[in-house]
Amino acid sequence: AEKQLYYLKGQINPHFLFNALNVLYSLSLESKKGVSKAILELSDILRYVIYDTEVEKVSILKEINLLENYINFEKNRHTEDANIEFNYTVKKDTKIYPMLLLPLIENSFKHGVKSKPNKPFIKINLNQEERKLICKVSNNFTFKASNSKKENQGIGLKNITENLNLIYPNNHVFTTKTENNIFSVFLKINLEQ
């Protein structure tokens, strides 16, 4: 199980880096002023990925900081009319498996805003209370007939499902739903077994 977790964690990082390099490439093509700021944001994200995730569990506040950096980084390449909300409540700093939540956010950008829906939005709510962590992410998208359900979920959601089964077996609920061109994920974790 430990080797599989290591493999899955390693699989997420290159996937994230690939998407991040696409952001920088897009900014450079458009000669936007935000290129240097975006490079610094990416540097902070990669510093976290390289150095802070070498432990079994990390502070949820550090994970939230990663998500904020990622969201700000992604905003560099999306239309100004995109409504991106990230709200969180942490009652007590606790530890979670590193890079666990990022694939949910990545997925909402990749299959949501980037599909250019009318009035694009991403809503992220993260709440930690007592021994429970609840994360809800929803985004609208433009449906493409060629996309299968599997393609819509992407490698990130497959990885998070496998990771959850390994590190929080019988202590989590993870569901996805597509309705009226809105894709939603719900994740609830019992943090202490």
Side-chain angles (χ1 to χ4, degrees):
E2 188 176 328
K3 285 183 180 179
Q4 191 171 357
L5 276 173
Y6 179 80
Y7 171 73
L8 291 172
K9 185 175 159 188
Q11 205 172 24
I12 291 172
N13 296 349
H15 180 243
F16 164 74
L17 185 57
F18 174 77
N19 288 338
L21 289 173
N22 281 335
V23 171
L24 292 179
Y25 179 69
S26 175
L27 287 173
S28 67
L29 281 180
E30 297 167 18
S31 300
K32 289 190 175 178
K33 293 179 182 176
V35 175
S36 57
K37 180 177 176 282
I39 291 170
L40 286 174
E41 289 169 345
L42 178 58
S43 176
D44 286 342
I45 292 168
L46 292 179
R47 185 179 302 111
Y48 177 83
V49 170
I50 293 167
Y51 297 111
D52 293 348
T53 61
E54 291 302 312
V55 293
E56 184 179 342
K57 290 186 179 179
V58 295
S59 159
I60 191 168
L61 294 176
K62 284 188 174 184
E63 280 290 293
I64 287 171
N65 188 55
L66 168 71
L67 299 180
E68 288 179 317
N69 282 335
Y70 178 79
I71 291 165
N72 289 333
F73 181 78
E74 278 288 345
K75 283 180 180 178
N76 288 307
R77 75 179 297 190
H78 298 292
T79 56
E80 293 180 8
D81 66 336
N83 181 12
I84 301 165
E85 296 179 21
F86 178 34
N87 301 300
Y88 63 89
T89 303
V90 175
K91 294 287 175 88
K92 179 184 175 185
D93 191 14
T94 188
K95 305 275 187 181
I96 64 171
Y97 185 75
M99 301 283 291
L100 185 66
L101 303 174
L102 183 63
L104 300 178
I105 313 304
E106 279 187 285
N107 204 65
S108 65
F109 278 97
K110 181 178 178 185
H111 298 290
V113 176
K114 290 178 190 174
S115 73
K116 299 188 176 80
N118 185 33
K119 296 182 180 176
F121 73 82
I122 297 173
K123 293 184 181 175
I124 306 153
N125 289 298
L126 180 64
N127 293 296
Q128 181 275 322
E129 188 172 343
E130 301 285 326
R131 298 176 181 177
K132 306 230 182 295
L133 174 70
I134 296 174
C135 183
K136 299 175 186 176
V137 182
S138 63
N139 60 271
N140 59 345
F141 65 94
T142 300
F143 179 76
K144 294 175 183 152
S146 63
N147 283 356
S148 68
K149 184 177 179 184
K150 184 177 180 183
E151 287 171 329
N152 278 335
Q153 288 186 346
I155 190 171
L157 292 182
K158 179 175 183 271
N159 281 348
I160 198 170
T161 299
E162 292 179 13
N163 269 332
L164 286 166
N165 288 334
L166 287 168
I167 59 180
Y168 296 110
N170 304 314
N171 279 292
H172 74 278
V173 175
F174 181 59
T175 59
T176 63
K177 183 169 93 171
T178 304
E179 188 174 25
N180 298 324
N181 282 21
I182 296 175
F183 182 75
S184 304
V185 297
F186 173 83
L187 172 60
K188 177 179 175 182
I189 301 173
N190 297 320
L191 295 169
E192 295 179 12
Q193 300 181 15

